[in-house]
Coordinates of all heavy atoms in Angstrom, one line a residue:
M358 N -5.9 -70.4 -56.1 CA -5.8 -68.9 -55.8 C -6.2 -68.6 -54.4 O -7.2 -69.2 -53.9 CB -6.6 -68.1 -56.8 CG -6.7 -66.6 -56.5 SD -7.7 -65.6 -57.6 CE -6.5 -65.3 -58.8
T359 N -5.5 -67.8 -53.8 CA -5.8 -67.5 -52.3 C -6.9 -66.4 -52.4 O -6.9 -65.6 -53.2 CB -4.6 -66.8 -51.6 OG1 -3.6 -67.8 -51.7 CG2 -4.9 -66.6 -50.2
S360 N -7.9 -66.6 -51.4 CA -8.9 -65.5 -51.3 C -9.3 -65.5 -49.9 O -9.2 -66.4 -49.2 CB -10.1 -65.8 -52.3 OG -10.8 -66.9 -51.9
A361 N -9.9 -64.3 -49.5 CA -10.4 -64.1 -48.2 C -11.8 -63.5 -48.2 O -12.2 -62.9 -49.2 CB -9.4 -63.1 -47.5
V362 N -12.5 -63.7 -47.1 CA -13.9 -63.2 -47.1 C -13.9 -62.1 -46.0 O -13.2 -62.2 -44.9 CB -14.9 -64.3 -46.7 CG1 -16.2 -63.7 -46.5 CG2 -14.9 -65.3 -47.8
L363 N -14.5 -61.0 -46.3 CA -14.5 -59.8 -45.3 C -15.9 -59.3 -45.2 O -16.6 -59.0 -46.2 CB -13.6 -58.7 -45.9 CG -13.5 -57.4 -45.1 CD1 -12.9 -57.7 -43.7 CD2 -12.8 -56.3 -45.8
A364 N -16.4 -59.3 -43.9 CA -17.7 -58.7 -43.7 C -17.5 -57.2 -43.5 O -16.7 -56.7 -42.8 CB -18.4 -59.3 -42.4
V365 N -18.4 -56.4 -44.1 CA -18.2 -54.9 -44.1 C -19.6 -54.4 -43.8 O -20.6 -54.7 -44.4 CB -17.7 -54.4 -45.4 CG1 -17.8 -52.9 -45.4 CG2 -16.3 -54.8 -45.7
R366 N -19.7 -53.4 -43.0 CA -20.9 -52.6 -42.7 C -20.7 -51.2 -43.3 O -19.8 -50.5 -42.9 CB -21.2 -52.3 -41.3 CG -22.5 -51.6 -41.0 CD -22.9 -51.5 -39.6 NE -24.2 -50.9 -39.4 CZ -24.5 -49.6 -39.5 NH1 -23.5 -48.7 -39.8 NH2 -25.7 -49.2 -39.3
L367 N -21.3 -50.9 -44.4 CA -21.1 -49.7 -45.3 C -22.0 -48.6 -44.9 O -23.3 -48.8 -44.8 CB -21.3 -50.1 -46.8 CG -21.0 -48.9 -47.8 CD1 -19.6 -48.5 -47.7 CD2 -21.4 -49.4 -49.1
T368 N -21.5 -47.4 -44.7 CA -22.3 -46.2 -44.5 C -22.1 -45.3 -45.8 O -21.0 -44.7 -45.9 CB -21.7 -45.4 -43.3 OG1 -21.9 -46.3 -42.1 CG2 -22.6 -44.2 -43.0
P369 N -23.1 -45.3 -46.6 CA -22.9 -44.4 -47.8 C -23.2 -42.9 -47.4 O -23.7 -42.7 -46.3 CB -24.1 -44.8 -48.6 CG -25.0 -45.6 -47.8 CD -24.3 -46.0 -46.6
R370 N -22.8 -42.0 -48.2 CA -22.9 -40.5 -48.0 C -22.3 -40.2 -46.6 O -22.8 -39.4 -45.8 CB -24.4 -40.0 -47.9 CG -25.0 -39.9 -49.2 CD -26.3 -39.0 -49.1 NE -26.9 -39.0 -50.4 CZ -28.0 -39.6 -50.8 NH1 -28.6 -40.4 -50.0 NH2 -28.4 -39.5 -52.0
G371 N -21.1 -40.9 -46.3 CA -20.4 -40.6 -45.1 C -19.5 -39.5 -45.0 O -18.7 -39.4 -44.1
G372 N -19.4 -38.7 -46.0 CA -18.7 -37.4 -46.1 C -17.2 -37.6 -46.6 O -16.7 -36.7 -47.2
R373 N -16.7 -38.8 -46.4 CA -15.4 -39.2 -46.9 C -15.2 -40.7 -47.0 O -16.1 -41.4 -46.5 CB -14.4 -38.6 -46.0 CG -14.4 -39.1 -44.6 CD -13.5 -38.3 -43.7 NE -13.8 -38.7 -42.2 CZ -13.2 -39.7 -41.6 NH1 -12.3 -40.5 -42.2 NH2 -13.6 -40.0 -40.4
D374 N -14.3 -41.1 -47.7 CA -14.1 -42.6 -47.8 C -13.0 -42.9 -46.7 O -11.9 -42.4 -46.7 CB -13.4 -42.9 -49.2 CG -14.4 -42.7 -50.3 OD1 -15.6 -42.3 -50.0 OD2 -14.0 -42.8 -51.4
A375 N -13.4 -43.8 -45.8 CA -12.6 -44.1 -44.7 C -12.9 -45.4 -44.0 O -14.1 -45.8 -44.1 CB -12.7 -43.1 -43.6
V376 N -12.0 -46.0 -43.3 CA -12.3 -47.2 -42.4 C -12.5 -46.7 -41.0 O -11.6 -45.9 -40.5 CB -11.1 -48.2 -42.4 CG1 -11.4 -49.2 -41.4 CG2 -11.0 -48.8 -43.8
D377 N -13.6 -47.1 -40.4 CA -14.0 -46.6 -39.0 C -13.6 -47.6 -37.9 O -14.1 -47.4 -36.9 CB -15.4 -46.1 -39.0 CG -15.6 -44.8 -39.7 OD1 -14.7 -44.1 -39.9 OD2 -16.8 -44.6 -40.1
G378 N -13.0 -48.7 -38.3 CA -12.6 -49.7 -37.3 C -13.4 -50.9 -37.3 O -14.3 -51.1 -38.3
W379 N -13.3 -51.7 -36.3 CA -14.0 -53.0 -36.2 C -15.1 -52.9 -35.2 O -15.1 -52.2 -34.3 CB -13.1 -54.1 -35.9 CG -12.1 -54.5 -36.9 CD1 -10.8 -54.0 -37.1 CD2 -12.2 -55.4 -38.0 NE1 -10.2 -54.6 -38.2 CE2 -11.1 -55.4 -38.7 CE3 -13.3 -56.3 -38.4 CZ2 -10.9 -56.2 -39.9 CZ3 -13.2 -57.0 -39.5 CH2 -11.9 -57.1 -40.2
A380 N -16.2 -53.8 -35.5 CA -17.3 -54.0 -34.6 C -17.8 -55.4 -34.7 O -17.2 -56.2 -35.5 CB -18.5 -53.0 -34.9
A381 N -18.8 -55.7 -33.9 CA -19.3 -57.1 -34.0 C -20.8 -57.0 -34.0 O -21.4 -56.2 -33.4 CB -18.9 -57.9 -32.7
D382 N -21.4 -58.0 -34.7 CA -22.8 -58.1 -34.8 C -23.4 -58.7 -33.5 O -22.7 -59.1 -32.6 CB -23.3 -58.8 -36.1 CG -23.0 -60.2 -36.1 OD1 -22.5 -60.8 -35.1 OD2 -23.1 -60.8 -37.2
A383 N -24.7 -58.9 -33.5 CA -25.4 -59.4 -32.3 C -24.8 -60.9 -31.9 O -24.9 -61.2 -30.8 CB -26.9 -59.5 -32.5
D384 N -24.4 -61.6 -33.0 CA -23.9 -63.0 -32.7 C -22.4 -63.0 -32.4 O -21.8 -64.0 -32.3 CB -24.2 -63.8 -33.9 CG -25.8 -64.0 -34.1 OD1 -26.4 -64.1 -33.1 OD2 -26.2 -64.1 -35.3
G385 N -21.8 -61.8 -32.4 CA -20.3 -61.7 -32.1 C -19.5 -61.9 -33.3 O -18.2 -61.9 -33.2
R386 N -20.0 -61.9 -34.5 CA -19.1 -61.9 -35.7 C -18.6 -60.5 -36.0 O -19.4 -59.6 -36.0 CB -20.1 -62.5 -36.9 CG -20.4 -64.0 -36.7 CD -21.2 -64.4 -37.9 NE -22.4 -63.7 -38.0 CZ -23.6 -64.2 -37.9 NH1 -23.8 -65.5 -37.6 NH2 -24.7 -63.4 -38.0
P387 N -17.3 -60.5 -36.3 CA -16.7 -59.2 -36.5 C -17.0 -58.7 -38.0 O -17.2 -59.5 -38.9 CB -15.2 -59.4 -36.4 CG -15.0 -60.9 -36.7 CD -16.3 -61.5 -36.3
Y388 N -17.0 -57.4 -38.1 CA -17.2 -56.7 -39.4 C -16.4 -55.4 -39.4 O -16.2 -54.8 -38.3 CB -18.7 -56.5 -39.8 CG -19.5 -55.6 -38.8 CD1 -19.5 -54.2 -39.0 CD2 -20.2 -56.1 -37.9 CE1 -20.2 -53.4 -38.1 CE2 -21.0 -55.4 -37.0 CZ -20.9 -53.9 -37.1 OH -21.7 -53.2 -36.4
L389 N -16.0 -55.0 -40.5 CA -15.2 -53.8 -40.7 C -16.2 -52.6 -41.0 O -17.1 -52.8 -41.9 CB -14.2 -53.9 -41.8 CG -13.3 -52.8 -42.0 CD1 -12.3 -52.7 -40.8 CD2 -12.4 -53.0 -43.3
K390 N -16.1 -51.5 -40.3 CA -17.0 -50.4 -40.6 C -16.3 -49.5 -41.6 O -15.2 -49.1 -41.3 CB -17.3 -49.6 -39.3 CG -18.0 -50.4 -38.3 CD -18.4 -49.6 -37.0 CE -17.3 -49.1 -36.3 NZ -17.6 -48.4 -35.1
V391 N -16.9 -49.2 -42.7 CA -16.4 -48.4 -43.8 C -17.4 -47.4 -44.2 O -18.6 -47.8 -44.3 CB -16.0 -49.3 -45.0 CG1 -15.5 -48.4 -46.1 CG2 -15.0 -50.3 -44.6
R392 N -17.0 -46.2 -44.4 CA -17.9 -45.0 -44.9 C -17.3 -44.6 -46.3 O -16.1 -44.6 -46.5 CB -17.9 -43.9 -44.0 CG -16.6 -43.2 -43.9 CD -16.7 -42.0 -43.0 NE -17.1 -42.3 -41.6 CZ -18.0 -41.6 -40.9 NH1 -18.6 -40.5 -41.4 NH2 -18.3 -42.0 -39.7
V393 N -18.2 -44.3 -47.2 CA -17.9 -43.7 -48.4 C -18.8 -42.5 -48.7 O -19.8 -42.4 -48.2 CB -18.1 -44.8 -49.7 CG1 -17.1 -45.9 -49.5 CG2 -19.6 -45.2 -49.7
S394 N -18.2 -41.6 -49.5 CA -19.0 -40.4 -49.8 C -20.1 -40.5 -50.9 O -21.0 -39.7 -51.0 CB -18.0 -39.2 -50.2 OG -17.3 -39.6 -51.3
A395 N -20.0 -41.6 -51.6 CA -21.0 -41.8 -52.7 C -22.4 -42.2 -52.1 O -22.5 -42.7 -51.0 CB -20.5 -43.0 -53.5
P396 N -23.5 -41.8 -52.8 CA -24.8 -42.1 -52.4 C -25.1 -43.6 -52.7 O -24.6 -44.2 -53.5 CB -25.7 -41.2 -53.2 CG -24.9 -41.0 -54.4 CD -23.5 -41.0 -54.0
P397 N -26.1 -44.1 -51.9 CA -26.6 -45.5 -52.2 C -27.6 -45.6 -53.4 O -28.7 -46.0 -53.2 CB -27.2 -45.9 -50.8 CG -27.8 -44.6 -50.4 CD -26.9 -43.6 -50.8
V398 N -27.2 -45.1 -54.5 CA -28.1 -45.1 -55.7 C -27.3 -45.8 -56.8 O -26.2 -45.5 -57.1 CB -28.3 -43.5 -56.1 CG1 -29.1 -43.5 -57.4 CG2 -28.9 -42.8 -55.0
E399 N -28.1 -46.8 -57.4 CA -27.6 -47.4 -58.6 C -26.3 -48.0 -58.5 O -25.4 -48.1 -59.4 CB -27.7 -46.5 -59.8 CG -29.1 -46.1 -60.2 CD -29.1 -45.2 -61.4 OE1 -28.1 -45.0 -62.0 OE2 -30.2 -44.7 -61.7
G400 N -26.0 -48.6 -57.2 CA -24.7 -49.3 -57.0 C -23.5 -48.4 -56.8 O -22.4 -48.9 -56.8
E401 N -23.7 -47.1 -56.7 CA -22.6 -46.1 -56.6 C -21.8 -46.4 -55.3 O -20.6 -46.3 -55.3 CB -23.0 -44.7 -56.6 CG -23.5 -44.3 -58.0 CD -23.8 -42.8 -58.1 OE1 -23.2 -41.9 -57.4 OE2 -24.7 -42.5 -58.8
A402 N -22.5 -46.6 -54.2 CA -21.8 -46.8 -52.9 C -21.0 -48.1 -52.9 O -19.9 -48.2 -52.4 CB -22.8 -46.8 -51.8
N403 N -21.6 -49.2 -53.5 CA -20.9 -50.5 -53.7 C -19.7 -50.3 -54.5 O -18.6 -50.8 -54.2 CB -21.8 -51.5 -54.2 CG -22.7 -52.1 -53.3 OD1 -22.7 -51.8 -52.0 ND2 -23.8 -52.7 -53.7
A404 N -19.7 -49.6 -55.6 CA -18.6 -49.3 -56.5 C -17.5 -48.5 -55.8 O -16.3 -48.8 -55.9 CB -19.0 -48.7 -57.8
A405 N -17.9 -47.5 -55.0 CA -16.9 -46.7 -54.2 C -16.3 -47.6 -53.1 O -15.1 -47.5 -52.9 CB -17.7 -45.6 -53.6
L406 N -17.1 -48.5 -52.5 CA -16.5 -49.4 -51.5 C -15.4 -50.3 -52.1 O -14.3 -50.4 -51.6 CB -17.6 -50.2 -50.9 CG -17.2 -51.4 -50.0 CD1 -16.4 -50.9 -48.8 CD2 -18.3 -52.3 -49.6
V407 N -15.8 -50.9 -53.3 CA -14.8 -51.8 -54.0 C -13.5 -51.1 -54.4 O -12.4 -51.5 -54.1 CB -15.5 -52.5 -55.2 CG1 -14.4 -53.1 -56.1 CG2 -16.6 -53.5 -54.7
A408 N -13.7 -49.8 -54.9 CA -12.6 -49.1 -55.3 C -11.7 -48.7 -54.2 O -10.5 -48.7 -54.2 CB -13.0 -47.8 -56.2
F409 N -12.3 -48.2 -53.1 CA -11.6 -47.8 -51.9 C -10.8 -49.0 -51.3 O -9.7 -48.9 -50.9 CB -12.6 -47.2 -50.8 CG -11.9 -47.0 -49.5 CD1 -11.0 -45.9 -49.4 CD2 -12.3 -47.7 -48.4 CE1 -10.4 -45.6 -48.2 CE2 -11.7 -47.4 -47.2 CZ -10.8 -46.4 -47.0
L410 N -11.5 -50.1 -51.1 CA -10.7 -51.2 -50.4 C -9.7 -51.7 -51.3 O -8.6 -52.2 -50.8 CB -11.7 -52.3 -50.0 CG -12.6 -52.0 -48.8 CD1 -13.5 -53.2 -48.4 CD2 -11.6 -51.8 -47.6
A411 N -9.9 -51.8 -52.6 CA -8.9 -52.3 -53.5 C -7.7 -51.4 -53.4 O -6.6 -51.9 -53.4 CB -9.5 -52.4 -55.0
K412 N -7.9 -50.1 -53.4 CA -6.7 -49.2 -53.3 C -6.0 -49.3 -52.0 O -4.8 -49.4 -51.9 CB -7.2 -47.8 -53.5 CG -6.1 -46.8 -53.5 CD -6.6 -45.4 -53.8 CE -5.4 -44.4 -53.7 NZ -5.9 -43.1 -53.9
R413 N -6.8 -49.5 -50.9 CA -6.2 -49.6 -49.5 C -5.5 -50.9 -49.4 O -4.5 -51.0 -48.7 CB -7.4 -49.6 -48.6 CG -7.1 -49.9 -47.1 CD -6.8 -48.6 -46.3 NE -6.3 -48.9 -45.1 CZ -7.0 -48.5 -43.9 NH1 -8.1 -47.9 -44.0 NH2 -6.5 -48.9 -42.8
L414 N -5.8 -52.0 -50.1 CA -5.2 -53.3 -49.9 C -4.2 -53.5 -51.1 O -3.5 -54.5 -51.0 CB -6.3 -54.4 -50.0 CG -7.3 -54.4 -48.9 CD1 -8.5 -55.4 -49.2 CD2 -6.7 -54.7 -47.6
G415 N -4.0 -52.5 -52.0 CA -3.1 -52.6 -53.0 C -3.4 -53.6 -54.1 O -2.5 -54.3 -54.7
L416 N -4.7 -53.8 -54.4 CA -5.2 -54.8 -55.3 C -5.9 -54.0 -56.5 O -6.3 -52.9 -56.4 CB -6.1 -55.8 -54.7 CG -5.6 -56.6 -53.5 CD1 -6.7 -57.3 -52.8 CD2 -4.6 -57.6 -54.0
S417 N -6.2 -54.8 -57.5 CA -7.0 -54.3 -58.6 C -8.5 -54.4 -58.2 O -8.9 -55.2 -57.3 CB -6.8 -55.1 -59.9 OG -7.3 -56.4 -59.7
R418 N -9.3 -53.5 -58.8 CA -10.7 -53.6 -58.4 C -11.4 -54.9 -58.7 O -12.3 -55.3 -58.0 CB -11.5 -52.4 -59.2 CG -11.2 -51.1 -58.7 CD -12.0 -50.1 -59.5 NE -11.5 -48.8 -59.3 CZ -11.9 -47.7 -59.8 NH1 -13.0 -47.7 -60.6 NH2 -11.5 -46.5 -59.6
S419 N -10.9 -55.6 -59.7 CA -11.5 -56.9 -60.1 C -11.2 -57.9 -59.1 O -11.8 -59.0 -59.0 CB -11.0 -57.3 -61.5 OG -9.5 -57.5 -61.4
A420 N -10.2 -57.7 -58.1 CA -9.9 -58.7 -57.1 C -10.9 -58.5 -55.9 O -10.9 -59.4 -55.0 CB -8.4 -58.6 -56.6
V421 N -11.7 -57.5 -55.9 CA -12.6 -57.3 -54.7 C -14.0 -57.2 -55.3 O -14.3 -56.5 -56.2 CB -12.3 -55.9 -54.1 CG1 -13.2 -55.7 -52.9 CG2 -10.8 -55.9 -53.6
R422 N -14.9 -58.0 -54.7 CA -16.3 -58.1 -55.2 C -17.2 -58.3 -54.1 O -16.9 -59.0 -53.1 CB -16.5 -59.2 -56.3 CG -16.3 -60.6 -55.8 CD -16.2 -61.5 -57.1 NE -15.8 -62.8 -56.6 CZ -14.5 -63.1 -56.4 NH1 -13.5 -62.2 -56.6 NH2 -14.2 -64.3 -56.0
V423 N -18.4 -57.7 -54.2 CA -19.5 -57.9 -53.3 C -20.2 -59.3 -53.6 O -20.8 -59.4 -54.6 CB -20.5 -56.7 -53.4 CG1 -21.7 -57.0 -52.3 CG2 -19.9 -55.4 -53.1
A424 N -20.0 -60.2 -52.7 CA -20.5 -61.6 -52.8 C -22.0 -61.7 -52.3 O -22.7 -62.5 -52.8 CB -19.6 -62.5 -52.2
A425 N -22.3 -60.9 -51.3 CA -23.6 -61.0 -50.7 C -23.9 -59.6 -50.1 O -23.0 -58.9 -49.6 CB -23.6 -62.0 -49.6
G426 N -25.2 -59.3 -50.1 CA -25.6 -58.0 -49.4 C -25.5 -56.8 -50.2 O -25.4 -55.7 -49.7
A427 N -25.6 -56.9 -51.6 CA -25.5 -55.8 -52.4 C -26.4 -54.6 -52.1 O -26.0 -53.4 -52.2 CB -25.7 -56.2 -53.9
T428 N -27.6 -54.9 -51.6 CA -28.6 -53.8 -51.2 C -28.7 -53.6 -49.8 O -29.5 -52.9 -49.3 CB -30.0 -54.1 -51.9 OG1 -30.4 -55.4 -51.4 CG2 -29.9 -54.1 -53.4
A429 N -28.0 -54.3 -49.0 CA -28.0 -54.2 -47.5 C -26.7 -53.4 -47.0 O -25.7 -53.3 -47.8 CB -27.9 -55.6 -46.9
R430 N -26.9 -53.0 -45.8 CA -25.7 -52.2 -45.1 C -24.5 -53.2 -44.9 O -23.4 -52.9 -45.0 CB -26.1 -51.6 -43.9 CG -26.7 -50.2 -44.1 CD -26.8 -49.4 -42.9 NE -27.4 -48.3 -43.2 CZ -26.9 -47.1 -42.8 NH1 -25.8 -47.0 -42.0 NH2 -27.5 -45.9 -43.1
L431 N -24.9 -54.4 -44.4 CA -23.9 -55.4 -44.1 C -23.7 -56.3 -45.3 O -24.5 -56.9 -45.8 CB -24.3 -56.3 -42.8 CG -23.3 -57.1 -42.2 CD1 -22.1 -56.2 -41.6 CD2 -23.8 -57.9 -41.0
K432 N -22.4 -56.3 -45.8 CA -22.0 -57.0 -47.0 C -20.9 -58.0 -46.7 O -20.2 -57.8 -45.8 CB -21.5 -55.9 -48.0 CG -22.5 -54.9 -48.3 CD -22.0 -53.7 -49.1 CE -23.0 -52.6 -49.3 NZ -24.2 -52.9 -49.8
R433 N -21.0 -59.0 -47.6 CA -19.8 -59.9 -47.5 C -19.0 -59.8 -48.8 O -19.5 -59.8 -49.9 CB -20.3 -61.3 -47.4 CG -19.2 -62.3 -47.2 CD -19.6 -63.8 -47.0 NE -19.9 -64.3 -48.3 CZ -21.0 -64.9 -48.7 NH1 -22.1 -65.0 -47.9 NH2 -21.2 -65.4 -49.9
L434 N -17.7 -59.4 -48.6 CA -16.9 -59.2 -49.8 C -15.9 -60.4 -50.0 O -15.4 -61.0 -49.0 CB -16.0 -58.0 -49.7 CG -16.7 -56.7 -49.4 CD1 -15.7 -55.5 -49.3 CD2 -17.7 -56.4 -50.5
E435 N -15.6 -60.8 -51.2 CA -14.6 -61.8 -51.5 C -13.4 -61.1 -52.1 O -13.7 -60.2 -53.0 CB -15.2 -62.8 -52.4 CG -16.2 -63.7 -51.7 CD -16.8 -64.8 -52.7 OE1 -16.5 -64.8 -53.9 OE2 -17.6 -65.6 -52.2
I436 N -12.3 -61.3 -51.6 CA -11.0 -60.6 -52.0 C -10.0 -61.6 -52.5 O -9.6 -62.5 -51.7 CB -10.5 -59.8 -50.8 CG1 -11.6 -58.9 -50.3 CG2 -9.2 -59.1 -51.2 CD1 -11.2 -58.1 -49.0
D437 N -9.7 -61.6 -53.8 CA -8.8 -62.5 -54.3 C -7.3 -62.0 -54.2 O -7.1 -60.8 -54.2 CB -9.0 -62.8 -55.8 CG -10.3 -63.4 -56.2 OD1 -10.8 -64.1 -55.3 OD2 -10.9 -63.2 -57.2
G438 N -6.4 -63.0 -53.9 CA -5.0 -62.6 -53.8 C -4.6 -62.3 -52.5 O -3.4 -62.1 -52.2
L439 N -5.4 -62.4 -51.5 CA -5.0 -62.2 -50.1 C -5.5 -63.3 -49.1 O -6.7 -63.8 -49.4 CB -5.6 -60.9 -49.5 CG -5.0 -59.5 -50.1 CD1 -5.7 -58.4 -49.4 CD2 -3.5 -59.4 -49.9
S440 N -4.7 -63.7 -48.2 CA -5.2 -64.7 -47.2 C -5.8 -63.9 -46.1 O -5.7 -62.7 -45.9 CB -4.0 -65.5 -46.7 OG -3.2 -64.7 -46.0
P441 N -6.6 -64.7 -45.3 CA -7.2 -64.0 -44.1 C -6.1 -63.3 -43.2 O -6.3 -62.3 -42.6 CB -7.9 -65.2 -43.3 CG -8.3 -66.1 -44.4 CD -7.1 -66.0 -45.4
E442 N -4.9 -64.0 -43.2 CA -3.8 -63.4 -42.4 C -3.4 -62.1 -43.0 O -3.0 -61.1 -42.3 CB -2.7 -64.3 -42.3 CG -2.9 -65.6 -41.5 CD -3.8 -66.6 -42.2 OE1 -3.8 -66.6 -43.4 OE2 -4.4 -67.5 -41.5
D443 N -3.3 -62.0 -44.3 CA -2.9 -60.7 -45.0 C -3.9 -59.7 -44.7 O -3.5 -58.5 -44.4 CB -2.9 -61.0 -46.6 CG -1.7 -61.8 -47.0 OD1 -0.7 -62.0 -46.3 OD2 -1.9 -62.5 -48.0
L444 N -5.2 -60.0 -44.7 CA -6.2 -59.0 -44.4 C -6.1 -58.5 -43.0 O -6.1 -57.3 -42.7 CB -7.6 -59.7 -44.5 CG -8.4 -59.6 -45.8 CD1 -9.7 -60.1 -45.7 CD2 -8.4 -58.2 -46.4
E445 N -5.8 -59.4 -42.0 CA -5.6 -59.0 -40.7 C -4.4 -58.0 -40.5 O -4.4 -57.1 -39.9 CB -5.4 -60.1 -39.8 CG -5.3 -59.8 -38.3 CD -5.3 -61.1 -37.5 OE1 -6.2 -61.8 -37.6 OE2 -4.2 -61.2 -36.7
R446 N -3.3 -58.3 -41.3 CA -2.1 -57.5 -41.3 C -2.4 -56.1 -41.9 O -1.9 -55.0 -41.4 CB -1.0 -58.1 -42.1 CG 0.3 -57.4 -42.1 CD 1.4 -58.2 -42.7 NE 1.0 -58.9 -44.0 CZ 0.9 -58.3 -45.2 NH1 1.2 -57.0 -45.3 NH2 0.6 -59.0 -46.3
L447 N -3.2 -56.0 -43.0 CA -3.4 -54.8 -43.6 C -4.6 -53.9 -42.9 O -4.5 -52.7 -43.0 CB -3.8 -55.0 -45.1 CG -2.8 -55.6 -45.9 CD1 -3.2 -56.1 -47.2 CD2 -1.6 -54.5 -46.2
L448 N -5.5 -54.6 -42.3 CA -6.7 -53.8 -41.8 C -6.8 -54.0 -40.3 O -7.6 -53.3 -39.7 CB -7.9 -54.4 -42.3 CG -8.2 -54.3 -43.9 CD1 -9.4 -55.0 -44.3 CD2 -8.3 -52.8 -44.3
G449 N -5.8 -54.6 -39.6 CA -5.9 -54.7 -38.1 C -6.7 -56.0 -37.8 O -7.4 -56.6 -38.5
R450 N -6.6 -56.3 -36.5 CA -7.3 -57.5 -36.0 C -8.7 -57.1 -35.4 O -8.8 -56.1 -34.8 CB -6.4 -58.0 -34.8 CG -7.2 -59.1 -34.1 CD -6.2 -59.9 -33.1 NE -5.4 -60.7 -33.9 CZ -4.3 -61.2 -33.5 NH1 -3.8 -60.9 -32.4 NH2 -3.5 -62.0 -34.3
P451 N -9.7 -57.9 -35.9 CA -11.0 -57.7 -35.4 C -11.2 -57.8 -33.9 O -10.5 -58.6 -33.3 CB -11.9 -58.8 -36.1 CG -11.1 -59.3 -37.1 CD -9.6 -59.1 -36.7
G452 N -12.0 -57.0 -33.3 CA -12.3 -57.1 -32.0 C -11.3 -56.3 -31.1 O -11.3 -56.2 -29.9

C-alpha cells in the first residue's frame, strides 16, 4: 500500500478550517500550516485536522492518522493511499 508522511503545524481555535501554506522549521524541513476552529481539548483539534485533510485529499478519515506529536503543535501524519508526489500535486510544493 502506498503511503506518504506529512509534517503539519496545527493552530487550534484558528477561526476556520484552512491550509495557510508551507513553512520550514529551524533545520529547513518543510511543514504544512493548517488551522482548525476546534479547541485543543481532548483530541478535538487532532480529530478536526484529520477530518479536514481527509476531505481535502479525497480520502476516508481512516486513511489519515497522527503518527507523532499528538499533543504538540508540530505533528507527523501518515496518509495511506497517496504517494509523496500525489501530496505535492494536491497541496502544492513545499518551499
Side-chain angles (χ1 to χ4, degrees):
M358 173 182 276
T359 304
S360 65
V362 174
L363 177 65
V365 172
R366 184 177 188 278
L367 181 63
T368 302
R370 285 197 181 108
R373 60 190 168 90
D374 295 352
V376 172
D377 288 338
W379 290 94
D382 67 11
D384 295 325
R386 291 181 297 245
Y388 61 86
L389 187 67
K390 297 185 295 183
V391 179
R392 68 176 59 220
V393 295
S394 57
V398 178
E399 297 178 7
E401 287 182 41
N403 287 344
L406 171 65
V407 166
F409 172 71
L410 281 180
K412 183 176 181 181
R413 173 92 186 246
L414 298 171
L416 301 169
S417 67
R418 287 184 194 177
S419 63
V421 180
R422 67 190 165 282
V423 178
T428 60
R430 275 190 181 233
L431 195 58
K432 302 171 185 308
R433 192 176 79 234
L434 303 181
E435 290 180 353
I436 302 168
D437 294 333
L439 292 179
S440 68
E442 293 79 20
D443 293 331
L444 269 184
E445 187 175 296
R446 182 174 43 79
L447 293 165
L448 297 173
R450 173 169 282 160

